[in-house]
Amino acid sequence: MDVPRTNLRPTPGQRALAEALARGEAVMGEGIETLPAAVYTDPELFELELERIFEQVPNLLGPSSLLPENNMAVAHDGYGTPLIITRDSDGQAHVFANVCRHRGTRLIDSNIPAPAKRIICPYHAWAYKPDGELTGMPRADCFPDLDKSEHGLREFRSVEAGGLIWWAKDNDAEFDDEVALAPDLDAFGIAGLHLYRRRTHDVAANWKLVIDAFLESYHVQRLHASTIAQFFADGITAADCIGPHQRAAVGRAAYLAEVDRDDWTALRRAVTYTYQLFPASVIIVSPDYINLLIAMPQSVGRTLVEDVMLIPEPPATNEAEAHWQRSWDLLDGVTFGAEDFGAAALCHRGLASGEIDEVILGKLENGIANFHRRVAESLVGPDPSWR
């Protein structure tokens, strides 16, 4: 199915990556680098990552289209903190603790978005608006002098930008780097896309092994030989960074040479853009749809990965539905689910055996090296010892 023509245009950064691909320029490292195998298997390091990264920096919750209408809410538990994501009557997104201010009862127990003009506690029926305000208490006379304005839901810092909803557990977290992504994401029109499918994969691998798979093109012709390899040139990747987030583009240089790089529809047919959103999310932009992968660490060797597929509009015909279902089955069921996540699990099993002390990164895997540098700096400051 063709990419729908729109008035959207590539950002200067997106266009520059396409130009580099058209010239056949590959972004490569200067030489071999190594990583200690323990960065994937050490449980103490994992706990430190939770404390100094996932509990301090903004983390991605999902696309804006998770809550497509006002007065909606959904539970989210992937990061270990019970959350409610809401959209209030004015259209603003909020992130609250999924805990009643009365006796601590869990308020919402479904990860399926639903209308929520009021969020009602199932225990004693305390009622909250989607903006967190406490509006009702049965037998209010039993709570003399309780100020309802001081007992709304506990709200976390969050931002909605570029069609994505982010939150932070740390009240001092800043969202400047996430907001800086918005022009690129707006160029894809993410905020206006339709959420077609969601699925959470339980992957028996360290979270960094999941992310590693989307930071190098070296594996594409090998691991994906029977699925998507035919669409990509071997080892030709252009890449740069937006703050801590990595942006990459892959495609076929010969085809790109004939494409007007200002024709966004044609360019998206020729180039696949991938964004690694620090710390643990990935956006893959296919010609006519987008996949959002959100990795949520559960233990040193287990990661939940939510795959969200965004399409231009709800399928209006059986033909359209069949088209999108085929795309979903290929990417979620095979390319990601069986191949990428399967490879991550095999890597973790091998590394957990203790049979090798370090992993080797070639010149085509410099995106992985950059990512691990960023992780290490978040833990111990610049100039980590393994560099």
Side-chain angles (χ1 to χ4, degrees):
M1 186 170 288
D2 289 339
V3 181
R5 290 194 173 274
T6 71
N7 293 323
L8 300 175
R9 293 290 183 270
T11 65
Q14 291 166 335
R15 195 182 191 284
L17 292 186
E19 293 283 2
L21 285 178
R23 294 190 298 268
E25 297 175 2
V27 175
M28 302 177 70
E30 295 180 359
I32 289 174
E33 298 192 55
T34 62
L35 289 171
V39 301
Y40 301 106
T41 60
D42 184 341
E44 292 185 3
L45 178 61
F46 173 77
E47 293 299 326
L48 193 63
E49 290 168 347
L50 293 184
E51 176 188 339
R52 297 189 182 179
I53 299 178
F54 288 92
E55 293 189 4
Q56 293 189 19
V57 308
N59 289 278
L60 185 60
L61 290 174
S64 297
S65 54
L66 181 65
L67 300 173
E69 300 176 2
N70 294 354
N71 295 318
M72 296 189 74
V74 64
H76 191 292
D77 297 290
Y79 291 108
T81 299
L83 302 176
I84 299 173
I85 314 169
T86 72
R87 191 175 299 285
D88 66 23
S89 59
D90 294 324
Q92 182 176 348
H94 301 268
V95 180
F96 300 107
N98 192 359
V99 178
C100 181
R101 292 295 302 276
H102 174 214
R103 296 267 296 276
T105 307
R106 182 179 174 87
L107 294 167
I108 297 178
D109 204 31
S110 173
N111 66 351
I112 299 175
K117 289 185 177 180
R118 292 291 184 272
I119 298 170
I120 309 296
C121 177
Y123 198 175
H124 298 96
W126 282 34
Y128 303 87
K129 291 170 61 177
D131 64 5
E133 178 187 353
L134 174 61
T135 60
M137 300 157 28
R139 291 298 306 271
D141 60 297
C142 295
F143 300 89
D145 303 322
L146 186 141
D147 187 347
K148 288 191 296 185
S149 68
E150 295 182 356
H151 289 80
L153 296 178
R154 181 195 171 195
E155 186 163 9
F156 292 96
R157 296 202 67 193
S158 64
V159 72
E160 184 172 17
L164 301 180
I165 301 172
W166 301 78
W167 80 291
K169 191 170 184 179
D170 186 344
N171 288 330
D172 295 325
E174 299 291 341
F175 292 85
D176 294 351
D177 291 326
E178 288 62 49
V179 172
L181 287 166
D184 267 44
L185 306 183
D186 289 338
F188 299 122
I190 288 181
L193 298 181
H194 170 70
L195 197 163
Y196 176 68
R197 291 281 191 274
R198 296 166 64 207
R199 179 186 177 190
T200 299
H201 298 257
D202 198 332
V203 183
N206 182 265
W207 68 277
K208 296 186 296 297
L209 286 170
V210 173
I211 299 303
D212 285 355
F214 299 93
L215 290 171
E216 49 91 355
S217 60
Y218 178 45
H219 74 282
V220 173
Q221 296 297 319
R222 273 58 66 175
L223 181 65
H224 302 309
S226 62
T227 53
I228 63 172
Q230 60 181 309
F231 303 113
F232 302 102
D234 191 12
I236 303 298
T237 303
D240 60 8
C241 293
I242 301 175
H245 312 297
Q246 295 195 56
R247 172 176 59 184
V250 295
R252 294 187 181 276
Y255 181 32
L256 265 172
E258 305 300 324
V259 171
D260 178 359
R261 260 82 78 188
D262 288 321
D263 183 339
W264 199 210
T265 300
L267 194 60
R268 284 190 56 182
R269 291 194 191 102
V271 178
T272 295
Y273 290 91
T274 300
Y275 293 75
Q276 194 278 307
L277 309 181
F278 191 83
S281 297
V282 177
I283 296 175
I284 302 99
V285 182
S286 297
D288 56 352
Y289 60 92
I290 291 175
N291 283 88
L292 178 61
L293 302 176
I294 306 171
M296 298 165 286
Q298 305 298 299
S299 68
V300 68
R302 178 176 173 240
T303 306
L304 297 180
V305 187
E306 183 173 31
D307 180 15
V308 178
M309 182 172 167
L310 305 173
I311 64 176
E313 59 188 9
T317 65
N318 290 337
E319 180 185 11
E321 173 62 33
H323 165 78
W324 297 122
Q325 187 64 49
R326 285 193 299 272
S327 297
W328 173 256
D329 290 343
L330 172 64
L331 269 293
D332 181 80
V334 183
T335 306
F336 300 150
E339 296 175 347
D340 288 315
F341 302 158
L346 290 175
C347 282
H348 192 93
R349 287 175 61 186
L351 294 170
S353 72
E355 292 301 316
I356 62 172
D357 295 326
E358 61 183 20
V359 300
I360 301 170
L361 302 177
K363 293 173 65 176
L364 287 175
E365 297 164 297
N366 60 304
I368 296 176
N370 291 335
F371 168 64
H372 282 264
R373 269 189 280 274
R374 174 63 182 170
V375 170
E377 290 171 1
S378 298
L379 298 178
V380 300
D383 195 25
S385 60
W386 60 265
R387 190 186 310 185

